[in-house]
Amino acid sequence: MISRDSDLTPVLSTLIATAKARGLTQNSLAHMAHIAPETLSRMKNRGNADFSAVAALAKAVGLKIALVPDEDRQELIRQRRLVDFEPLTYDD
């Protein structure tokens, strides 16, 4: 599992809330994204997911995933002050 700093809980919550606002249940959202409802539940509970699953959920509710600049981090990189990278941790 990726560290807590990479927790996808807010992203998954947004996708589920968007689905609900569009009249979809979590089950119907999962089916529209071609994933099992149990998989969506596990993703939500663990706060992590494969990128392809998140992209499929977004597409199912009419959203796109976009990368946006992190200006603060980019400035640290430009200043060469970002030398320590956050370690990734993996479950066994």
Side-chain angles (χ1 to χ4, degrees):
M1 177 189 289
I2 296 176
S3 69
R4 273 320 240 182
D5 290 341
S6 298
D7 189 356
L8 288 174
T9 300
V11 172
L12 295 169
S13 294
T14 297
L15 291 170
I16 291 167
T18 302
K20 185 176 181 181
R22 293 192 166 106
L24 301 172
T25 65
Q26 285 188 46
N27 280 348
S28 60
L29 171 61
H31 289 296
M32 289 175 69
H34 303 288
I35 62 175
E38 298 80 14
T39 301
L40 176 56
S41 179
R42 274 194 305 277
M43 290 177 356
K44 193 172 85 169
N45 290 335
R46 293 179 182 167
N48 71 1
D50 291 338
F51 181 80
S52 60
V54 175
L57 291 166
K59 185 176 181 179
V61 295
L63 297 175
K64 291 182 185 179
I65 296 176
L67 300 176
V68 296
D70 180 340
E71 297 297 336
D72 294 334
R73 193 162 184 92
Q74 286 183 1
E75 183 58 29
L76 290 174
I77 292 168
R78 277 192 289 276
Q79 295 173 6
R80 298 189 184 271
R81 290 180 34 209
L82 187 66
V83 294
D84 292 328
F85 292 93
E86 300 161 359
L88 294 179
T89 57
Y90 300 92
D91 289 339
D92 293 332

